[in-house]
């Protein structure tokens, strides 16, 4: 039976830990120059309805390193952009390819695609979730902290797809999570209800960044206006005043805390230049680990 990777809630703690273990193995092989063509002879379609830097590069390079062939497909230059039904595209691609990654807007798009596809479907980003990024973030935390267990993660900023996925991760894996969001910009209520119904750890929402960050092991943020929200930029700048992850805010966390940002960053808005370039920043390791985590996901689903 095929498995998809649409949201972390589809997976158990043991299954996510197995992906982390494979990520570590594949990263070591890549660093050592050891060939690992687990998907030799296969093809993976990479569908982009949203523009991308890290997602496109990391998936294309990852598919290549696994010995498979990546096919970049833009909705602007395919029949999807002319209104072909998602179910039709899913059925046809299932006859050609061995897996699909989709970076799009609505979560319902990847879910409908997965419903009609007979090959694994990976969520490369939707407005609701960003599971590949959070897996990379957590793997980076494990590399630097040894484990995610017993840690406190602070999220500062918009209750967006990143925040929603952090909530899922905390509920499944059992670390404490504090989210600081401006009023009216809290995470998805359904995601929060799902998490609180099963969480064994503390998952809390506050409107005070200092309260979320104080004593935290990990401090994480993202842009205030995501793709598709550019028209709200000025309004959001006012709403998010005081939510910049600057040196004063980071000083409230543990002395050995690490700072994450999924990129691209608007330096001077949600994060200070001195923080992203500072000694506590793990942003570049985090960006690299997208490659290794996604390889583990593809290898597990498509081998």
């Amino acid at each position: 039976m095929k498995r998809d990777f649409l949201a972390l809630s589809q997976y158990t703690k043991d299954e996510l830990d197995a992906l982390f273990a494979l990520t570590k193995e594949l990263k070591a092989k890549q660093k050592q120059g050891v060939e690992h063509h687990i998907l030799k002879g296969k093809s993976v379609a990479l569908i982009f309805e949203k523009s991308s830097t890290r997602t496109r590069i990391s998936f294309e390079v990852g598919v290549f390193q696994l010995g498979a062939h990546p096919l970049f497909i833009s909705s602007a230059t395919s029949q999807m952009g002319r209104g072909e039904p998602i179910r039709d595209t899913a059925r046809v691609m299932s006859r050609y390819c061995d897996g699909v990654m989709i970076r799009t807007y609505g979560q319902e798009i990847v879910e409908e695609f997965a419903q009609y596809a007979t090959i694994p479907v990976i969520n490369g980003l939707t407005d609701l979730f960003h599971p590949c990024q959070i897996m990379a973030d957590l793997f980076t935390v494990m590399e630097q902290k040894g484990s995610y267990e017993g840690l406190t993660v602070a999220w500062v900023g918009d209750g967006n797809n990143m925040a929603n996925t952090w909530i899922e991760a905390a509920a499944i894996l059992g670390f404490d999570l504090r989210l600081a969001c401006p009023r009216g910009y809290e995470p998805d209520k359904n995601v929060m209800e799902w998490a609180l119904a099963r969480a064994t750890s503390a998952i809390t929402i506050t409107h005070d960044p200092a309260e979320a960050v104080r004593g935290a092991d990990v401090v994480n943020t993202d842009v205030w206006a995501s793709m598709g929200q550019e028209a709200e930029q000025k309004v959001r700048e006012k709403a998010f005043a005081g939510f910049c992850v600057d040196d004063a805010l980071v000083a409230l966390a543990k002395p050995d805390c690490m700072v994450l940002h999924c990129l691209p960053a608007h330096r001077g808005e949600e994060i200070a230049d001195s923080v992203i370039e500072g000694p506590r920043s793990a942003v570049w390791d985090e960006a690299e680990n997208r490659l290794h985590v996604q390889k583990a996901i593809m290898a597990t689903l498509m081998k």
Side-chain angles (χ1 to χ4, degrees):
M1 181 178 178
K2 73 133 177 170
R3 290 289 302 273
D4 301 306
F5 195 80
L6 309 183
L8 296 188
S9 56
Q10 296 177 303
Y11 287 77
T12 65
K13 181 180 185 297
D14 288 345
E15 288 172 332
L16 294 181
D17 283 339
L19 286 172
F20 290 134
L22 182 55
T23 299
K24 183 177 180 179
E25 177 186 335
L26 294 179
K27 183 173 182 177
K29 288 183 177 180
Q30 192 267 333
K31 296 297 184 183
Q32 296 163 6
V34 177
E35 185 179 284
H36 45 287
H37 290 171
I38 301 170
L39 301 182
K40 184 177 181 180
K42 296 183 182 293
S43 296
V44 182
L46 308 175
I47 302 174
F48 288 85
E49 290 195 297
K50 281 190 173 185
S51 59
S52 168
T53 298
R54 278 151 294 278
T55 299
R56 176 175 179 178
I57 295 172
S58 58
F59 265 106
E60 284 200 24
V61 172
V63 171
F64 174 78
Q65 290 182 358
L66 290 172
H69 178 67
L71 298 95
F72 172 78
I73 302 169
S74 168
S75 61
T77 56
S78 69
Q79 296 299 334
M80 290 183 68
R82 299 180 61 215
E84 181 176 39
I86 294 169
R87 63 185 66 182
D88 293 358
T89 303
R91 288 167 170 146
V92 171
M93 284 195 178
S94 295
R95 303 293 182 101
Y96 297 148
C97 303
D98 300 283
V100 174
M101 185 285 303
I102 308 177
R103 181 179 173 93
T104 185
Y105 292 90
Q107 180 72 13
E108 68 277 3
I109 294 174
V110 296
E111 291 180 354
E112 182 179 351
F113 200 106
Q115 178 184 350
Y116 288 94
T118 57
I119 55 177
V121 177
I122 297 171
N123 178 1
L125 174 144
T126 65
D127 291 340
L128 187 62
F129 294 121
H130 200 353
C132 291
Q133 181 66 59
I134 300 305
M135 289 294 287
D137 291 6
L138 282 164
F139 184 75
T140 308
V141 170
M142 294 167 68
E143 283 187 316
Q144 298 200 13
K145 298 290 186 182
S147 173
Y148 52 74
E149 294 179 351
L151 300 184
T152 297
V153 175
W155 173 265
V156 179
D158 191 20
N160 59 10
N161 50 7
M162 287 286 291
N164 292 333
T165 314
W166 270 112
I167 291 169
E168 286 196 328
I172 298 166
L173 300 177
F175 55 85
D176 289 346
L177 176 65
R178 304 184 203 138
L179 304 106
C181 308
R183 295 186 187 278
Y185 295 91
E186 294 87 356
D188 185 89
K189 290 182 179 179
N190 292 329
V191 174
M192 193 67 181
E193 288 176 2
W194 174 89
L196 292 177
R198 63 167 293 158
T200 58
S201 57
I203 303 175
T204 58
I205 298 177
T206 178
H207 303 295
D208 181 3
E211 183 180 341
V213 170
R214 189 171 286 111
D217 300 281
V218 181
V219 179
N220 202 345
T221 190
D222 191 9
V223 294
W224 292 340
S226 299
M227 280 181 286
Q229 299 172 333
E230 289 81 4
E232 304 173 26
Q233 179 68 29
K234 295 300 181 183
V235 174
R236 284 174 172 260
E237 285 178 7
K238 292 181 180 180
F240 284 79
F243 281 78
C244 178
V245 176
D246 55 18
D247 292 294
L249 188 64
V250 173
L252 298 176
K254 288 184 178 177
D256 64 344
C257 80
M258 56 190 294
V259 176
L260 300 175
H261 191 306
C262 62
L263 301 176
H266 293 172
R267 299 174 185 228
E269 289 186 11
E270 77 278 358
I271 191 166
D273 186 82
S274 56
V275 172
I276 201 170
E277 295 289 354
R280 296 178 182 179
S281 173
V283 169
W284 318 118
D285 294 329
E286 173 190 9
E288 178 192 340
N289 283 332
R290 284 287 301 277
L291 169 66
H292 307 298
V293 159
Q294 290 162 183
K295 284 167 62 178
I297 293 168
M298 290 188 287
T300 299
L301 297 183
M302 301 177 196
K303 63 183 178 181

